[in-house]
Amino acid sequence: MIVVMSKDCGDKEAAEVIARLEAAGLTAHLSRGVERTVIGVLGTSPALPELRDTLQLLPGVEQVVPITKPYKLSSREFQPENTVIKLGEHSIGGDELVVMAGPCAVETEEQAVSTARAVKAAGATVLRGGAFKPSTSPYGFRGLGEEGLKLLAQAKQETGLPLVTEVLTPGDIELVLRYADILQIGARNMQNFILLDEVGKAKKPVLFKRGLSATIEEWLLAAEYILSQGNREVILCERGIRTFETYTRNTLDISAIPTIHKLSHLPIIADPSHGTGRWDLVTPLALAAVAAGANGVMIEVHPSPETALKDGPQSLTFENFEKLMTQLAPVAAAAGRRIAGKGV
Amino acid sequence: MIVVMSKDCGDKEAAEVIARLEAAGLTAHLSRGVERTVIGVLGTSPALPELRDTLQLLPGVEQVVPITKPYKLSSREFQPENTVIKLGEHSIGGDELVVMAGPCAVETEEQAVSTARAVKAAGATVLRGGAFKPSTSPYGFRGLGEEGLKLLAQAKQETGLPLVTEVLTPGDIELVLRYADILQIGARNMQNFILLDEVGKAKKPVLFKRGLSATIEEWLLAAEYILSQGNREVILCERGIRTFETYTRNTLDISAIPTIHKLSHLPIIADPSHGTGRWDLVTPLALAAVAAGANGVMIEVHPSPETALKDGPQSLTFENFEKLMTQLAPVAAAAGRRIAGKGV
Amino acid sequence: MIVVMSKDCGDKEAAEVIARLEAAGLTAHLSRGVERTVIGVLGTSPALPELRDTLQLLPGVEQVVPITKPYKLSSREFQPENTVIKLGEHSIGGDELVVMAGPCAVETEEQAVSTARAVKAAGATVLRGGAFKPSTSPYGFRGLGEEGLKLLAQAKQETGLPLVTEVLTPGDIELVLRYADILQIGARNMQNFILLDEVGKAKKPVLFKRGLSATIEEWLLAAEYILSQGNREVILCERGIRTFETYTRNTLDISAIPTIHKLSHLPIIADPSHGTGRWDLVTPLALAAVAAGANGVMIEVHPSPETALKDGPQSLTFENFEKLMTQLAPVAAAAGRRIAGKGV
Amino acid sequence: MIVVMSKDCGDKEAAEVIARLEAAGLTAHLSRGVERTVIGVLGTSPALPELRDTLQLLPGVEQVVPITKPYKLSSREFQPENTVIKLGEHSIGGDELVVMAGPCAVETEEQAVSTARAVKAAGATVLRGGAFKPSTSPYGFRGLGEEGLKLLAQAKQETGLPLVTEVLTPGDIELVLRYADILQIGARNMQNFILLDEVGKAKKPVLFKRGLSATIEEWLLAAEYILSQGNREVILCERGIRTFETYTRNTLDISAIPTIHKLSHLPIIADPSHGTGRWDLVTPLALAAVAAGANGVMIEVHPSPETALKDGPQSLTFENFEKLMTQLAPVAAAAGRRIAGKGV
């Protein structure tokens, strides 16, 4: 931490800052310059975040500049080697490219099972599907609940694909854990800290989506909630941020992918279905994410998108999903990853 | 709803759209133009939101344009007169200007009680204070929990001020209801739909903050969750949206205030403390919000901001809060509202 | 400037940074800490901005933190007292509240003259009106050009109101200067640096609008172009920034008003017409801007907005402008400013 | 265009709207519904954009919905086949992947020539380099001007690479045209309409960057300025938009690439150097852009970025550029494009 004092700050003001720092067990180095006086802070203290805020309010202080990252367990400094998460015979975070695919919301047995079969045949290694759905409007479809989880369990049994599905609230974790292989935390819940605490205690991997207006730093800090409870199997998922552009539902921040690889050891996948909101942009953005180094992609697939109860406009048909998988192979190879699904 | 067909759409495509509409019990009006063919849709159906999505995917359809607002109970069309919420001898939503003030987080009995006394003396009519605090980092201060609620209860008893305090998760609602007069839903939980369902069943008013990247329409739709569960006492709170500007923590969207008055009958207040993140911008932004028609303001006050455990940099001292109240009076008067607090 | 070295940086890397700094005539102070090594930089050099970029690329450097503001002439540090610009018997930047009003684009003599008379009667002290208009589409109305300037000159002569009008390109400055009392630089030209250089050489005040995606720091840096050419009479104008909200055309950043007063000595006014894009939000946002400390407002007024060639939806009628002026008076008084127009 | 009338609109209001439409030579179709009354508008008129604004202000009108795109010449409806621009033996917009590379700003003969040789050897087919540089600060480096153009001309002669270089103001076009093969319009000038008019009259291709806060629709509308003056050789360049994320300088909107291919026939390239502001993100984002279908990329290269006068932190060394080209080849192949440069 560095404390920048204002141009005309006197000795008394600097002394007060130094006294506060020393009271917290830190060491202060004073440098007087022509334009500014600067106090460098050495040492660490658990009270540092609060201290930063309070120093800002002292007379003569112009700016307090943090110089260490606020997240620890998720940082590459803490763990230089990549986190690789085992998932049956497959793994996420290594040289495999993981493709998670399935319907936005599960609707019927037929829909769930046929989609699971189709995506497996095309090379997906994880089945996605929602039973508890967040809906912008209370009058929209909110998912089948436990009934939906049972249908997903059938699709899973038929195909052997592990299942990723969303949990919306602490009270449902136990139930969802009975069916899911990966717990999904949606974008709207990225800062639902109580929920993060609780999935941090679960013994299954967590797919953790970035919030619509979250910076990368806030996302890693939120992941820290899960990690610090003991669950180290977190898969980050970029799913688009909110910008002024209205043609796409969100703007998929592809640059977040190499940035996460630089700052963190956690695997990162991309969700171009939610990231664009338009099925005809899903394939180019999936290819882009993989070229930029994503560990995987998450794709919405539906037997007939034009009758889907949710997110039809961003879902691929079986045929289009198959085409995507074909196009994905050479790009994955160029990026040094292999698609491990049976169908490929 | 209006369905715009592409330039070269044939009769078959138009017929398919019309068939779908009629199957849902709606009436379709076809108009063929030089540039576009347009199908007007009359009637209503609960399946409308889903239908809108699926029509978009049919061949020949270029655009589906909704022409009714997606929220109902919160709209001014549904209820033309303002919602006025009684709060002891005061009320929110009428000609009173409500000032809610207090510490960001409750820390000690002394801090809670002295702040409550000071803000009451200066004219505040509601005490704010947090016992359950969302914290960006798991290593930050997360509030005193039930112990904090007890301290707030003491401050309330000493001053007679009703209490607004945040609830973070469905499991805590019962506990918080024992102490709070108004339940606060924070910005990060604006789309925590399970929590909204549950506070919708409570018998106390809800202070409902706008999410950092929520449009006004999404905010009203989320309020609809609470209203549709039977709780009609919702107070909206604008607290800043996320933009590219970094000088302020957020950008307080003052235009949301008259916009809400136009679209909805619900009262709206502003929170310039979180909206700016800087105590020296709190007063000018509070004045601006009231001039623009806000029903009230929510202000963070602390006996010594430079030692606060949370949000010190955006908290006013007792003295600065008193000054704010003095400056607020003539602006409130100009805006046709009166400050009803005892101290004024 | 402070150079933060990475955790594991060696002596060699630090020495290289120090050598570069000393070569530029600066002094370096090295502090080794447990978590980071920090090099404080004292002294100034014209090469500082470039140096900052290049240091960032040296081995072992993690972050380069500037600690002085990049703008000088526009900063309050450089000039503590407010800039007050004389304009006939009126002035901008002092205790007067300046109201600039008139049509978005001048259309006819009748329109220009009648509007000028109406706004003067209601208390405006500056006439606004565009002859050269930026238009998002090449097929839209682009203004009457010199013919328009002549009509504005007539309106000015009839009323005695000084005129503010936009200049779009360096080649037009000479012509516009013949008619205008204040040169306006529009939001889209905020970083048209050649144009800024040229109006910096003019001998008339410049009304300088903030760009749609400009930070406050970039805005002040751009103002610096004008100031550094010798023209010290710059009036800043907040006119809305681009956010994800779509109900309003832009989001008027009211917090920029007190922020500018803190960082700079230049006067600042607000343009709620462009800032909201909706006439029914103009009055509440004008009141908000004045309550927050604006030195003035700029308002679009048209004899019959529903036939205006440009920006009708955000223009006030004569009647609504008069009402606005009536509402403005007590808010201006509360903010310590007086409306000086004859009509008041 | 469709005019949506408010719920309670009477016959008189509807009649007034219809009268206005018919006066402009358009045909109106009235449909009365339970929730809303809708007036469909058929036919076209040059006055349409203005009419849209004015109708919005008439009593009883709730919303005016445009249903045709506001741009014409740049739309795929107007020209279904791709625009392919010849550039010596190469072309942009067909199956070639164009790589434009070179220094941000030209500094010396040695720097310009050595960079040109290095990028050509690695497979670039166009030389980029700036002589007139926009600089956020008036105290920053603004380029060598005509002297810089001469140095670029030398680099061009030595290598045979065609040159793309920026023009900042109408007064410089003639001069720049003497040296450049492609005129570049920078992001800050995307809505400098006078400049667009003038390059629209030039007989050379224009590289047209997206503004930092421009929607895709506004970008295409601005391109329309150039096209409508007769210059049909416009190459669009996505270079990042402004968002709340601060780790990257901008957010490169990769989804704009397939969107432009859908809406327009114009070629589109990506500039990951400006789009990220960090050299270590340039390669992954270049790969992503090509995977998503870009017709080319524009890359900043410098012999020693740590001494560059401008944008060093986002420049690749010769070695890193060569690596990028090696990685680009298989991704280009997967996307159905070939790199045509001599070095490949």
Side-chain angles (χ1 to χ4, degrees):
Chain A
M1 190 163 65
I2 291 160
V3 183
V4 181
M5 307 295 292
S6 68
K7 208 175 173 172
D8 48 2
C9 117
D11 289 338
K12 211 186 113 198
E13 284 88 353
E16 170 65 21
V17 170
I18 292 169
R20 294 267 188 142
L21 290 167
E22 293 179 345
L26 302 163
T27 312
H29 269 245
L30 183 77
S31 315
R32 283 222 169 261
V34 186
E35 294 263 324
R36 293 283 186 281
T37 289
V38 166
I39 299 169
V41 183
L42 304 181
T44 48
S45 153
L48 227 112
E50 282 77 28
L51 199 59
R52 184 187 158 196
D53 272 4
T54 59
L55 288 175
Q56 217 142 32
L57 289 169
L58 292 184
V61 174
E62 192 171 291
Q63 207 184 343
V64 182
V65 184
I67 59 169
T68 44
K69 296 188 186 78
Y71 45 88
K72 315 253 166 216
L73 304 176
S74 56
S75 76
R76 207 170 266 288
E77 287 189 2
F78 176 79
Q79 180 188 311
E81 64 282 1
N82 289 336
T83 287
V84 180
I85 298 168
K86 283 270 161 212
L87 212 69
E89 54 191 302
H90 296 290
S91 66
I92 305 179
D95 62 353
E96 262 184 67
L97 183 87
V98 177
V99 179
M100 307 183 177
C104 179
V106 61
E107 297 163 11
T108 63
E109 185 187 327
E110 164 60 17
Q111 174 237 23
V113 174
S114 69
T115 306
R117 281 191 184 133
V119 301
K120 187 183 182 177
T125 45
V126 176
L127 175 67
R128 64 143 291 152
F132 294 100
K133 300 299 305 173
S135 159
T136 308
S137 160
Y139 312 120
F141 179 58
R142 298 179 66 181
L144 297 181
E146 185 166 9
E147 181 53 30
L149 290 174
K150 285 178 184 161
L151 299 179
L152 288 166
Q154 266 182 274
K156 178 178 152 176
Q157 205 185 315
E158 293 271 346
T159 54
L161 291 176
L163 172 68
V164 56
T165 195
E166 184 164 357
V167 59
L168 289 177
T169 197
D172 290 341
I173 293 179
E174 208 189 302
L175 172 68
V176 176
L177 274 174
R178 261 181 262 146
Y179 298 91
D181 300 286
I182 306 176
L183 288 174
Q184 179 177 321
I185 300 292
R188 293 180 185 86
N189 279 323
M190 191 200 90
Q191 293 192 319
N192 185 338
F193 300 120
I194 312 289
L195 182 60
L196 301 187
D197 278 343
E198 296 305 316
V199 301
K201 293 170 193 156
K203 304 279 179 254
K204 291 204 176 149
V206 176
L207 182 87
F208 188 46
K209 292 200 165 185
R210 180 180 183 183
L212 265 81
S213 66
T215 62
I216 291 170
E217 186 173 299
E218 287 170 339
W219 191 15
L220 288 174
L221 263 169
E224 202 84 5
Y225 270 88
I226 305 170
L227 297 167
S228 65
Q229 291 289 346
N231 190 341
R232 299 298 169 94
E233 302 198 316
V234 173
I235 304 153
L236 300 169
C237 177
E238 163 65 36
R239 48 81 72 217
I241 57 172
R242 191 154 267 187
T243 70
F244 58 81
E245 178 59 61
T246 53
Y247 187 82
T248 42
R249 197 154 96 165
N250 298 291
T251 298
L252 195 69
D253 180 8
I254 296 285
S255 55
I257 296 167
T259 299
I260 287 292
H261 285 320
K262 196 177 161 187
L263 300 178
S264 177
H265 52 85
L266 297 171
I268 176 164
I269 69 167
D271 173 353
S273 305
H274 286 90
T276 64
R278 290 173 167 263
W279 71 267
D280 52 355
L281 297 180
V282 166
T283 294
L285 271 291
L287 297 172
V290 172
N295 295 102
V297 287
M298 189 171 204
I299 308 287
E300 291 193 353
V301 177
H302 195 281
S304 63
E306 75 280 8
T307 65
L309 286 182
K310 203 162 170 70
D311 284 345
Q314 69 195 35
S315 297
L316 295 189
T317 58
F318 294 171
E319 196 190 335
N320 282 330
F321 179 68
E322 224 188 295
K323 277 190 209 156
L324 161 62
M325 291 303 287
T326 309
Q327 288 182 262
L328 214 47
V331 177
R337 295 199 203 279
R338 61 194 171 76
I339 302 181
K342 294 231 167 103
V344 180
Chain B
M1 191 163 62
I2 292 160
V3 183
V4 181
M5 307 295 293
S6 68
K7 207 174 172 174
D8 47 1
C9 118
D11 288 340
K12 211 185 114 200
E13 283 88 353
E16 171 65 20
V17 170
I18 293 170
R20 295 269 188 138
L21 291 167
E22 292 178 344
L26 302 163
T27 313
H29 269 246
L30 184 78
S31 314
R32 285 220 168 264
V34 185
E35 294 262 325
R36 294 285 184 280
T37 290
V38 166
I39 300 170
V41 183
L42 305 181
T44 48
S45 152
L48 226 112
E50 283 77 27
L51 198 61
R52 186 188 155 192
D53 271 3
T54 59
L55 288 175
Q56 215 141 33
L57 290 169
L58 293 183
V61 173
E62 193 170 290
Q63 206 184 342
V64 182
V65 184
I67 59 169
T68 45
K69 298 188 185 78
Y71 46 88
K72 316 253 165 215
L73 304 176
S74 56
S75 76
R76 207 169 265 289
E77 286 190 3
F78 175 79
Q79 179 188 312
E81 64 282 359
N82 289 335
T83 286
V84 179
I85 298 168
K86 282 272 162 210
L87 211 70
E89 53 191 304
H90 297 290
S91 64
I92 305 179
D95 62 353
E96 261 183 68
L97 183 87
V98 177
V99 179
M100 307 184 177
C104 178
V106 62
E107 296 163 12
T108 63
E109 185 187 328
E110 165 60 17
Q111 173 235 24
V113 174
S114 69
T115 307
R117 281 192 185 132
V119 301
K120 186 182 182 181
T125 45
V126 177
L127 175 66
R128 64 145 291 152
F132 295 100
K133 299 300 306 175
S135 160
T136 308
S137 159
Y139 312 120
F141 179 58
R142 299 178 67 180
L144 296 181
E146 185 166 8
E147 182 53 30
L149 291 174
K150 285 177 184 162
L151 299 179
L152 288 166
Q154 266 181 275
K156 178 178 150 176
Q157 203 183 318
E158 294 271 347
T159 55
L161 291 176
L163 173 67
V164 56
T165 195
E166 184 163 357
V167 61
L168 290 177
T169 196
D172 290 341
I173 293 178
E174 208 187 303
L175 172 67
V176 176
L177 274 175
R178 261 180 263 145
Y179 298 90
D181 300 286
I182 306 176
L183 288 173
Q184 179 177 318
I185 299 292
R188 296 178 181 88
N189 280 321
M190 193 201 89
Q191 293 191 318
N192 184 340
F193 300 120
I194 311 289
L195 182 60
L196 302 188
D197 278 343
E198 295 306 314
V199 300
K201 293 170 192 155
K203 304 279 179 253
K204 290 205 176 148
V206 176
L207 182 86
F208 188 46
K209 291 200 166 183
R210 181 181 183 181
L212 264 81
S213 66
T215 62
I216 291 170
E217 186 172 298
E218 287 169 338
W219 190 17
L220 288 174
L221 262 168
E224 202 84 3
Y225 270 87
I226 305 171
L227 298 167
S228 65
Q229 291 288 347
N231 189 342
R232 300 299 169 94
E233 301 197 317
V234 173
I235 304 154
L236 300 169
C237 178
E238 162 65 35
R239 48 80 71 217
I241 58 173
R242 191 153 268 187
T243 70
F244 58 81
E245 178 58 60
T246 54
Y247 187 83
T248 42
R249 196 153 98 166
N250 299 289
T251 299
L252 194 69
D253 181 7
I254 296 285
S255 55
I257 296 167
T259 299
I260 287 293
H261 284 320
K262 196 177 162 188
L263 301 178
S264 176
H265 51 83
L266 297 171
I268 177 164
I269 69 167
D271 173 352
S273 305
H274 286 91
T276 64
R278 290 174 167 263
W279 71 267
D280 52 355
L281 298 180
V282 167
T283 294
L285 272 292
L287 298 172
V290 172
N295 295 103
V297 287
M298 189 172 205
I299 308 285
E300 291 193 354
V301 177
H302 195 281
S304 62
E306 74 281 8
T307 64
L309 288 181
K310 205 163 169 69
D311 284 344
Q314 69 194 36
S315 296
L316 295 188
T317 58
F318 294 171
E319 197 191 334
N320 282 330
F321 179 67
E322 225 188 294
K323 277 189 209 154
L324 161 62
M325 291 303 287
T326 309
Q327 289 182 261
L328 215 47
V331 177
R337 294 199 205 278
R338 61 194 170 78
I339 302 179
K342 294 229 170 104
V344 180
Chain C
M1 189 163 63
I2 291 160
V3 183
V4 181
M5 306 296 293
S6 69
K7 208 174 172 173
D8 47 3
C9 117
D11 289 339
K12 209 185 114 199
E13 283 89 354
E16 171 66 21
V17 170
I18 292 170
R20 294 269 188 138
L21 290 167
E22 292 179 345
L26 301 163
T27 311
H29 269 246
L30 184 78
S31 316
R32 284 221 168 262
V34 184
E35 293 262 325
R36 294 283 186 281
T37 289
V38 165
I39 299 169
V41 184
L42 305 181
T44 49
S45 152
L48 227 112
E50 283 77 27
L51 199 60
R52 184 186 157 194
D53 272 4
T54 60
L55 288 174
Q56 215 142 32
L57 289 169
L58 293 183
V61 174
E62 194 171 289
Q63 206 184 342
V64 182
V65 184
I67 59 168
T68 43
K69 297 187 186 79
Y71 46 88
K72 315 253 167 216
L73 304 176
S74 57
S75 75
R76 205 169 268 287
E77 286 190 3
F78 176 79
Q79 179 188 314
E81 63 282 1
N82 290 336
T83 286
V84 179
I85 298 169
K86 284 271 163 210
L87 212 68
E89 54 192 303
H90 296 290
S91 65
I92 305 179
D95 62 352
E96 261 183 67
L97 184 87
V98 177
V99 179
M100 307 183 177
C104 178
V106 62
E107 296 163 11
T108 64
E109 184 187 329
E110 163 61 17
Q111 174 236 24
V113 174
S114 70
T115 307
R117 280 192 185 133
V119 301
K120 185 181 182 182
T125 46
V126 177
L127 175 65
R128 63 145 292 153
F132 294 99
K133 298 300 305 174
S135 160
T136 308
S137 160
Y139 312 120
F141 178 58
R142 298 180 66 181
L144 297 181
E146 185 166 8
E147 182 53 30
L149 291 174
K150 285 178 185 163
L151 299 179
L152 288 165
Q154 265 182 277
K156 179 179 150 175
Q157 204 183 319
E158 294 271 345
T159 55
L161 291 176
L163 173 67
V164 56
T165 196
E166 184 164 356
V167 60
L168 290 177
T169 196
D172 290 341
I173 293 179
E174 207 188 303
L175 171 66
V176 175
L177 274 174
R178 260 181 264 147
Y179 298 91
D181 300 286
I182 305 176
L183 288 174
Q184 179 177 319
I185 300 292
R188 295 177 181 88
N189 279 322
M190 192 201 89
Q191 293 191 319
N192 185 339
F193 300 120
I194 311 289
L195 181 60
L196 302 188
D197 279 342
E198 296 306 315
V199 300
K201 294 171 193 153
K203 305 277 179 254
K204 290 202 178 150
V206 176
L207 183 87
F208 188 46
K209 291 199 166 185
R210 180 180 183 183
L212 264 82
S213 66
T215 61
I216 291 169
E217 186 173 299
E218 287 170 338
W219 190 16
L220 288 175
L221 263 168
E224 202 83 5
Y225 270 88
I226 305 171
L227 297 167
S228 66
Q229 291 289 346
N231 189 341
R232 300 298 170 95
E233 301 197 317
V234 173
I235 304 153
L236 300 169
C237 178
E238 163 65 36
R239 48 80 72 218
I241 58 173
R242 191 153 268 189
T243 70
F244 58 80
E245 177 58 61
T246 53
Y247 186 82
T248 42
R249 196 153 98 167
N250 298 290
T251 299
L252 195 69
D253 181 6
I254 295 285
S255 55
I257 296 166
T259 299
I260 287 292
H261 284 319
K262 197 178 160 187
L263 302 178
S264 177
H265 52 84
L266 297 172
I268 177 164
I269 69 167
D271 173 353
S273 304
H274 287 91
T276 64
R278 289 172 168 265
W279 72 267
D280 52 355
L281 298 181
V282 167
T283 294
L285 271 292
L287 297 172
V290 172
N295 295 102
V297 288
M298 189 171 203
I299 308 285
E300 291 192 355
V301 178
H302 195 281
S304 63
E306 74 281 9
T307 64
L309 287 181
K310 201 158 173 72
D311 284 345
Q314 69 195 36
S315 296
L316 296 188
T317 59
F318 294 171
E319 196 190 337
N320 283 331
F321 179 68
E322 225 187 295
K323 277 190 209 155
L324 161 62
M325 291 303 288
T326 309
Q327 288 181 261
L328 214 47
V331 177
R337 295 199 204 280
R338 60 195 171 76
I339 303 181
K342 294 228 170 104
V344 180
Chain D
M1 190 163 62
I2 292 160
V3 183
V4 181
M5 306 296 291
S6 68
K7 209 174 173 173
D8 48 1
C9 117
D11 289 339
K12 211 186 112 198
E13 284 87 354
E16 171 65 21
V17 170
I18 292 170
R20 293 269 189 138
L21 291 167
E22 292 179 344
L26 301 163
T27 312
H29 269 246
L30 184 77
S31 315
R32 284 220 169 263
V34 185
E35 293 263 327
R36 293 284 185 280
T37 290
V38 165
I39 300 170
V41 183
L42 305 181
T44 48
S45 152
L48 227 110
E50 283 77 28
L51 198 60
R52 184 187 157 195
D53 271 3
T54 58
L55 289 174
Q56 216 141 32
L57 289 169
L58 293 183
V61 173
E62 193 171 291
Q63 207 183 341
V64 182
V65 184
I67 59 169
T68 43
K69 296 187 187 78
Y71 45 88
K72 315 252 165 215
L73 304 176
S74 56
S75 76
R76 205 168 269 286
E77 287 191 2
F78 175 79
Q79 179 188 312
E81 64 282 1
N82 289 336
T83 285
V84 180
I85 298 169
K86 284 271 163 210
L87 212 67
E89 54 192 303
H90 297 290
S91 64
I92 306 178
D95 62 353
E96 260 183 69
L97 183 87
V98 177
V99 179
M100 306 182 178
C104 179
V106 62
E107 296 163 11
T108 63
E109 185 187 329
E110 164 59 19
Q111 174 236 24
V113 174
S114 69
T115 307
R117 280 193 185 131
V119 301
K120 187 183 183 179
T125 45
V126 176
L127 175 66
R128 64 144 291 153
F132 294 100
K133 299 299 307 173
S135 159
T136 308
S137 161
Y139 311 120
F141 179 58
R142 299 179 67 180
L144 297 182
E146 185 166 7
E147 182 52 32
L149 291 174
K150 285 179 184 161
L151 298 179
L152 288 166
Q154 265 181 276
K156 179 178 150 175
Q157 204 184 318
E158 294 271 345
T159 54
L161 291 177
L163 173 67
V164 56
T165 196
E166 184 163 357
V167 60
L168 289 177
T169 196
D172 290 340
I173 292 179
E174 208 189 301
L175 172 66
V176 176
L177 274 175
R178 262 182 261 146
Y179 298 90
D181 300 286
I182 305 176
L183 288 174
Q184 178 177 321
I185 300 292
R188 293 178 183 87
N189 279 322
M190 192 200 89
Q191 293 191 318
N192 185 338
F193 300 120
I194 311 289
L195 181 61
L196 302 187
D197 279 343
E198 295 306 315
V199 301
K201 292 170 194 157
K203 305 278 179 254
K204 292 205 175 147
V206 176
L207 182 86
F208 188 45
K209 292 200 165 185
R210 180 180 183 183
L212 264 82
S213 67
T215 63
I216 291 170
E217 186 173 298
E218 287 169 339
W219 191 15
L220 289 173
L221 262 169
E224 201 84 5
Y225 270 88
I226 305 171
L227 298 167
S228 65
Q229 290 289 347
N231 189 342
R232 300 298 170 95
E233 301 197 316
V234 173
I235 304 154
L236 300 169
C237 178
E238 163 65 35
R239 49 81 70 217
I241 58 173
R242 192 153 266 188
T243 69
F244 58 81
E245 178 59 60
T246 53
Y247 186 83
T248 44
R249 197 153 97 165
N250 298 291
T251 299
L252 195 70
D253 181 6
I254 296 285
S255 55
I257 296 167
T259 299
I260 287 293
H261 285 319
K262 198 177 159 186
L263 300 178
S264 177
H265 51 83
L266 297 172
I268 176 165
I269 70 167
D271 173 351
S273 305
H274 287 90
T276 65
R278 289 173 167 264
W279 71 266
D280 52 355
L281 297 180
V282 166
T283 294
L285 271 292
L287 297 172
V290 171
N295 295 102
V297 287
M298 189 171 204
I299 308 286
E300 291 192 354
V301 177
H302 195 282
S304 63
E306 74 280 9
T307 65
L309 287 181
K310 203 162 171 67
D311 283 346
Q314 70 194 35
S315 297
L316 295 188
T317 58
F318 294 171
E319 196 190 335
N320 282 331
F321 180 68
E322 224 188 294
K323 278 191 209 155
L324 161 63
M325 291 303 288
T326 310
Q327 289 182 261
L328 214 47
V331 177
R337 296 201 203 277
R338 59 193 172 78
I339 301 180
K342 293 233 168 102
V344 180

